[in-house]
Amino acid sequence: QVQLVESGGGLVQPGGSLRLSCATSGSIFVINDMGWYRQAPGKEREKVATITGGGSTNYADSVKGRFTISRDNAKNTMYLQMNSLRPEDTAVYYCNADIWYGGDWHNHWGQGTQVTVSS
């Protein structure tokens, strides 16, 4: 069974950094587009950053210049380096991926990892 598992969340002070990881496990043939999303209490889930199978990236305006999305295709893993964190970055962060297996594309979400930015 294919699964996405996030790790790396935690509590950090404003201005600090965290690196999130999203590992994909299972019988995977191809991973196409991947992305990070977040949901703060009382708010809708929003896109943070996406990366295509070819490595093209896209960021929400609120994180441009502070966050960097990357992927290691050999390890089926995606990362989100978060620098200069702000209290408004506090949210549950989810990874998402389009994965080919079983003769079709499937969209998967991870279970989420909490990021809290507070002094």
Side-chain angles (χ1 to χ4, degrees):
Q1 183 174 349
V2 175
Q3 287 186 315
L4 302 180
V5 179
E6 301 100 334
S7 61
L11 173 64
V12 63
Q13 292 186 340
S17 297
L18 282 175
R19 188 193 195 207
L20 305 183
S21 298
C22 173
T24 308
S25 63
S27 299
I28 299 161
F29 287 90
V30 178
I31 303 176
N32 196 13
D33 295 349
M34 304 183 78
W36 288 98
Y37 295 75
R38 66 187 181 187
Q39 188 166 19
K43 294 189 176 182
E44 302 259 328
R45 189 174 297 189
E46 63 176 0
K47 183 192 78 174
V48 176
T50 58
I51 185 166
T52 67
S56 296
T57 60
N58 185 270
Y59 296 91
D61 287 343
S62 59
V63 306
K64 281 181 182 176
R66 301 188 297 123
F67 291 10
T68 302
I69 188 171
S70 61
R71 61 193 288 170
D72 183 334
N73 291 329
K75 295 181 179 179
N76 290 332
T77 300
M78 175 178 63
Y79 306 96
L80 184 68
Q81 178 66 43
M82 305 186 294
N83 299 328
S84 302
L85 282 161
R86 305 167 179 169
E88 54 264 39
D89 294 318
T90 296
V92 178
Y93 284 70
Y94 299 90
C95 65
N96 178 269
D98 290 324
I99 305 172
W100 175 274
Y101 63 93
D104 201 357
W105 288 102
H106 304 267
N107 185 262
H108 285 268
W109 290 92
Q111 82 288 349
T113 185
Q114 177 71 46
V115 172
T116 302
V117 184
S118 175
S119 55

